[in-house]
């Protein structure tokens, strides 16, 4: 009898009325044939059109088909104009939420409608394999109106902060740091993706998403506006434990990542002295100062960017929400050497900077410029 290596091999040759099986078990070849009826078990289903699905009970659709990740108010909003929203019963509401700080021009803004209608009637998305006018134009506007030198586009604030976190880690790696640490503040909020959620120093958001009691490694937290605590943390994180150093590892501060004004922390403005210390510590450490401008940026604090109220210039800042006036867009903007950390293939976004979103961003930018 022919001997084979001790592996198990199953060969299935199927026809409608027969099948052949060849087994190699414990080095012995065995052939067995079976007569069987073998039919396809995948049935072709008819595609159901959206027009075939009843929409008379919108809350019922959500209850049956949408994952319950939100606690929704019992309102079905069907239209909006300016600062007014109208529900399915015709009741009007004054909108103080603005789509959670996104609809900076209000609802049904004429300039925004014109911009996205014009863009979608020409080309709305082609990927970042090519140049598109609106992305270059919006990048230029962001750079010309901030401390940044270059912009990277994505689709949300969480994505913008993820890009900033990756950039900080790559920048640290380029400096020979194997164990990069990003310092953020308690009661901060930086997004719902895993690294951005880890940067968000609120344990209630971490519950159930860790591994062995840990979220993404490499984050440390300090009290917002507490200079002494920040100084102590930077000193500690810039010191490599002896055992790690003996194994060729090096710990260091990759970035200090802060909101210019904490929203979820209780509407707490940043202290200019605290941010001056953060800027100094980042410079001394060789790390980056990152400002999360996703909520406070785009004019919400009275200045275009929140950090402009604090007398510092970050190496990196992130934007989203009001940047698109309610159309999804995000941007991670960097200056100096931070602007050249990423090369082709280091980071990407399929939809990031698409013509439709960037045209919306340009409409918001133009409106801001025209109406101061």
């Amino acid at each position: 009898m022919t001997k084979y290596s001790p592996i198990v091999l199953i060969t299935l040759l199927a026809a409608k009325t027969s099948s052949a099986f060849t087994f190699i078990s414990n080095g012995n070849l065995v052939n067995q044939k079976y007569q069987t009826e073998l039919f396809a078990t995948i049935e072709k289903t008819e595609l159901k059109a959206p027009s075939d699905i009843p929409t008379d009970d919108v809350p019922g659709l959500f209850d049956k088909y949408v994952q319950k990740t939100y606690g929704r108010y019992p309102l079905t909003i069907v239209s909006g104009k300016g600062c007014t929203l109208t529900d399915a019963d015709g009741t009007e509401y004054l909108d103080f939420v603005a789509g959670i700080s996104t609809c900076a021009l209000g609802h049904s803004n004429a300039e925004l409608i014109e911009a996205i209608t014009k863009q979608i009637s020409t080309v709305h998305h082609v990927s970042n394999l090519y140049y598109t006018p609106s992305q270059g134009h919006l990048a230029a506007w962001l750079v010309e109106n901030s401390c940044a030198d270059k912009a990277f586009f994505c689709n949300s604030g969480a994505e913008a902060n993820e890009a900033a976190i990756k950039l900080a880690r790559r920048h640290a790696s380029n400096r020979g740091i194997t164990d990069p640490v990003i310092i953020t503040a308690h009661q901060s909020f930086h997004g719902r993706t895993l690294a951005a959620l880890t940067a968000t120093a609120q344990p209630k958001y971490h519950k159930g998403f860790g591994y062995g009691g840990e979220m993404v490694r490499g984050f440390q937290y300090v009290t917002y506006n507490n200079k002494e605590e920040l100084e102590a943390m930077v000193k500690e994180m810039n010191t490599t434990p002896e055992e790690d150093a003996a194994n060729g590892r090096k710990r260091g501060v990759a970035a200090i990542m802060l909101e210019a004004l904490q929203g979820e922390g209780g509407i707490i403005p940043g202290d200019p002295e605290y941010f001056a210390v953060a800027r100094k510590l980042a410079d001394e450490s060789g790390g980056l100062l990152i400002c999360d401008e996703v909520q406070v940026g785009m004019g919400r604090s009275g200045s275009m960017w929140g950090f402009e109220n604090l007398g510092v210039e970050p190496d990196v800042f992130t934007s989203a929400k009001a940047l698109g006036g309610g159309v999804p867009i995000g941007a991670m903007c960097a200056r100096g050497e931070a602007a050249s950390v990423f090369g082709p293939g280091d980071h990407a976004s399929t939809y990031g900077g698409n013509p439709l979103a960037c045209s919306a961003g340009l409409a918001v930018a133009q409106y801001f410029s025209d109406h101061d």
Side-chain angles (χ1 to χ4, degrees):
M1 181 176 288
T2 306
K3 294 287 185 178
Y4 291 86
S5 59
I7 61 172
V8 177
L9 171 66
I10 302 177
T11 304
L12 171 62
L13 302 174
K16 181 178 179 181
T17 58
S18 65
S19 61
F21 295 81
T22 300
F23 296 87
I24 297 176
S25 180
N26 298 323
N28 297 317
L29 178 62
V30 179
N31 290 307
Q32 296 187 28
K33 294 184 179 181
Y34 299 90
Q35 295 295 320
T36 183
E37 290 288 332
L38 183 63
F39 296 98
T41 58
I42 300 175
E43 296 182 2
K44 184 178 180 180
T45 58
E46 184 176 343
L47 184 66
K48 180 175 287 189
S51 56
D52 296 331
I53 300 173
T55 59
D56 54 316
D57 179 14
V58 173
L61 291 175
F62 275 73
D63 187 57
K64 184 174 182 179
Y65 298 111
V66 180
Q67 294 189 33
K68 298 185 187 333
T69 56
Y70 302 97
R72 301 178 193 271
Y73 292 99
L75 298 174
T76 299
I77 302 300
V78 296
S79 66
K81 182 67 177 179
C83 293
T84 301
L85 291 173
T86 304
D87 71 9
D89 297 324
T91 305
E92 293 186 342
Y93 304 86
L94 188 59
D95 183 13
F96 284 95
V97 179
I100 311 181
S101 307
T102 63
C103 300
L105 306 187
H107 303 284
S108 302
N109 174 265
E111 289 85 347
L112 186 58
I113 291 172
E114 180 182 5
I116 62 178
T117 300
K118 179 180 178 181
Q119 188 62 62
I120 204 166
S121 66
T122 54
V123 61
H124 68 291
H125 176 65
V126 294
S127 86
N128 284 296
L129 296 176
Y130 319 101
Y131 297 107
T132 53
S134 58
Q135 183 178 153
H137 197 180
L138 184 57
W141 183 83
L142 285 167
V143 168
E144 294 295 330
N145 289 281
S146 73
C147 62
D149 293 321
K150 297 287 179 64
F152 168 86
F153 290 104
C154 48
N155 311 287
S156 68
E159 287 184 53
N161 285 331
E162 286 279 346
I165 289 167
K166 284 183 66 176
L167 186 148
R169 284 195 166 193
R170 173 56 66 85
H171 181 261
S173 177
N174 291 345
R175 296 187 290 119
I177 293 175
T178 60
D179 299 11
V181 177
I182 296 175
I183 299 171
T184 68
H186 291 297
Q187 300 305 309
S188 58
F189 189 85
H190 298 290
R192 299 280 188 167
T193 51
L194 199 55
L197 189 65
T198 307
T200 296
Q202 297 194 55
K204 66 181 181 181
Y205 290 126
H206 296 175
K207 186 178 179 180
F209 298 111
Y211 180 88
E214 290 186 306
M215 294 290 284
V216 177
R217 299 182 69 181
F219 289 87
Q220 295 290 334
Y221 312 125
V222 295
T223 302
Y224 193 63
N225 284 338
N226 187 315
K227 299 188 294 292
E228 293 74 24
E229 194 172 326
L230 178 61
E231 289 171 334
M233 181 63 74
V234 168
K235 182 178 180 180
E236 180 183 353
M237 291 302 109
N238 277 332
T239 302
T240 305
E242 291 184 6
E243 182 179 351
D244 292 341
N247 290 322
R249 294 165 59 181
K250 180 181 179 181
R251 187 171 70 184
V253 172
I256 301 170
M257 183 176 185
L258 301 166
E259 295 160 282
L261 180 149
Q262 281 196 334
E264 289 223 2
I267 317 299
I268 303 173
D271 178 2
E273 292 186 8
Y274 179 73
F275 274 77
V277 169
R279 175 71 275 175
K280 179 174 179 289
L281 292 171
D283 290 339
E284 292 173 349
S285 301
L288 303 177
L289 177 61
I290 301 172
C291 278
D292 180 343
E293 294 275 341
V294 169
Q295 185 159 282
V296 73
M298 290 298 292
R300 193 164 293 277
S301 68
S303 297
M304 183 59 71
W305 309 111
F307 63 78
E308 293 175 338
N309 300 303
L310 302 173
V312 298
E313 289 187 343
D315 301 293
V316 177
F317 70 89
T318 56
S319 180
K321 289 190 179 286
L323 179 61
V327 176
I329 189 171
M332 185 274 290
C333 304
R335 71 180 180 97
E337 66 178 34
S340 59
V341 168
F342 283 157
D346 288 336
H347 196 54
S349 170
T350 297
Y351 286 111
N354 68 78
L356 186 67
C358 286
S359 291
L362 286 168
V364 173
Q366 190 64 52
Y367 195 95
F368 276 24
S369 300
D370 291 344
H371 298 82
D372 195 20

